[in-house]
Amino acid sequence: VVDYSQGDVQVGDVFVLPEHRGCGAGKVLVHTAIDFARAQGVQQLYLYTPDMQNLYERYGWRRIDERWVNGETVSIMLMDIV
């Protein structure tokens, strides 16, 4: 069992309200998080998502695991930002 919560940098709670979707706001949020992490010397970012895997894969994350979290199956995803 791998504990992805200890000492790893995670992107969390990134969402865009439905009325603001489709205008690029999510892309800006994700790229801002990546740029900030890179500026801090972070080499890898983790996140988990129950249903947005395809979106995050387009930004460069890859699925590395699946877990049961808060009553649902989620994909653990990793991005190398070196």
Side-chain angles (χ1 to χ4, degrees):
V1 175
V2 178
D3 182 357
Y4 297 105
S5 66
Q6 299 300 315
D8 296 318
V9 178
Q10 301 175 33
V11 173
D13 296 325
V14 177
F15 63 92
V16 176
L17 296 173
E19 61 268 24
H20 299 289
R21 291 181 185 157
C23 67
K27 183 177 183 176
V28 171
L29 288 170
V30 169
H31 284 290
T32 299
I34 293 167
D35 291 345
F36 179 80
R38 187 177 287 124
Q40 301 304 308
V42 173
Q43 296 182 6
Q44 294 182 315
L45 287 174
Y46 290 87
L47 62 78
Y48 73 84
T49 181
D51 58 356
M52 298 302 289
Q53 295 87 341
N54 292 337
L55 171 75
Y56 287 112
E57 285 172 342
R58 287 195 303 255
Y59 293 124
W61 267 274
R62 66 184 186 280
R63 300 176 206 203
I64 60 169
D65 200 357
E66 283 193 354
R67 296 289 175 97
W68 185 256
V69 177
N70 297 327
E72 62 187 347
T73 301
V74 300
S75 293
I76 308 295
M77 302 185 78
L78 172 67
M79 173 189 266
D80 295 312
I81 60 169
V82 198

